[in-house]
Amino acid sequence: VIMMTGDPPATARAIARQHVRIERPDRRAFVIDLHSANGTWIHRAGQVSQVNPGSPTPLIRGDELILAGFFRFRLDGAP
């Protein structure tokens, strides 16, 4: 679970304290949006798609997670 602590800047307040969970069963990686108010997206191969809240969505190397339209995280490890 990606969690925010302390007093984040105004733009960071769009991210929920419990926004997403990343799971790695069987060496694969999945992201699950925890029904966040401002959403989660995956940028992959030039296309951006929104993650369905509550549904495990596969991640692959090079994917970029976008939380609440502001914060980006890139998956560099091998799932």
Side-chain angles (χ1 to χ4, degrees):
V1 175
I2 296 174
M3 297 182 68
M4 298 289 291
T5 59
D7 188 20
T11 55
R13 292 185 186 130
I15 297 176
R17 288 193 182 272
Q18 294 189 13
H19 198 100
V20 298
R21 183 171 62 233
I22 297 174
E23 297 180 347
R24 286 191 47 114
D26 303 322
R27 297 189 47 85
R28 298 174 296 156
F30 295 86
V31 62
I32 301 168
D33 181 286
L34 300 175
H35 300 276
S36 64
N38 294 312
T40 303
W41 291 263
I42 296 175
H43 181 250
R44 176 184 295 159
Q47 294 192 4
V48 177
S49 57
Q50 189 166 11
V51 173
N52 291 324
S55 298
T57 302
L59 293 170
I60 60 172
R61 181 183 296 168
D63 279 355
E64 186 175 57
L65 283 179
I66 306 167
L67 305 182
F70 292 102
F71 294 91
R72 296 172 178 258
F73 303 89
R74 182 171 307 280
L75 180 69
D76 287 327

